[in-house]
Amino acid sequence: MATITLELFELKNICMDMAELGAAACERKRSPALDEIKQREAFRWLKSLGYEPKLLSELEQAGLIHKKRKGTAINSPLIYSKFELQAALNTLRMGQYVNKLKNTQP
């Protein structure tokens, strides 16, 4: 059985990320329409969090998020779920902790 060692601030960050994700899930259930975010807004949101806009397409290619078109026209806006985006970002952060642990274990 492997032992996982985390710094206290890492554990705090994990708890905060999961609480934030829980709040997003609750909001999604309460008001599904408010969970939708247009592609341009998603780019802005990622940028405000310090990520490059290309991360959106990388998350999509990895299968962590899915876009849908709001309407049938070819120029209808692309819509993402804020909850899915938050879950994907949390997955990336957790991956950093796990990969750090893999690199430090013999």
Side-chain angles (χ1 to χ4, degrees), residues 13-14 16-18 20 45 49 51 86-99:
N13 289 342
I14 290 170
M16 288 174 47
D17 287 345
M18 294 310 133
E20 190 175 283
W45 186 52
L49 295 175
Y51 296 102
Q86 188 65 50
L89 293 176
N90 287 1
T91 301
L92 291 178
R93 288 186 202 122
M94 287 299 295
Q96 291 172 345
Y97 296 128
V98 171
N99 289 331

Side-chain angles (χ1 to χ4, degrees), residues 11-76:
L11 183 59
K12 176 194 70 109
N13 289 342
I14 290 170
C15 291
M16 288 174 47
D17 287 345
M18 294 310 133
E20 190 175 283
L21 188 59
C26 181
E27 185 66 27
R28 181 181 189 180
K29 283 183 182 180
R30 190 167 17 127
S31 181
L34 293 178
D35 181 55
E36 296 179 345
I37 186 171
K38 291 182 182 178
Q39 187 178 44
R40 183 177 299 256
E41 295 167 337
F43 285 140
R44 282 190 206 123
W45 186 52
L46 288 174
K47 190 174 179 180
S48 75
L49 295 175
Y51 296 102
E52 293 290 323
K54 68 179 181 175
L55 180 63
L56 193 64
S57 61
E58 292 172 2
L59 293 174
E60 193 174 345
Q61 288 174 355
L64 294 173
I65 61 172
H66 305 90
K67 66 183 173 192
K68 63 180 180 180
R69 200 166 284 285
K70 190 163 187 136
T72 57
I74 196 164
N75 60 347
S76 297

Side-chain angles (χ1 to χ4, degrees), residues 1-5 101 105:
M1 181 171 200
T3 302
I4 297 176
T5 305
L101 294 173
Q105 293 178 354

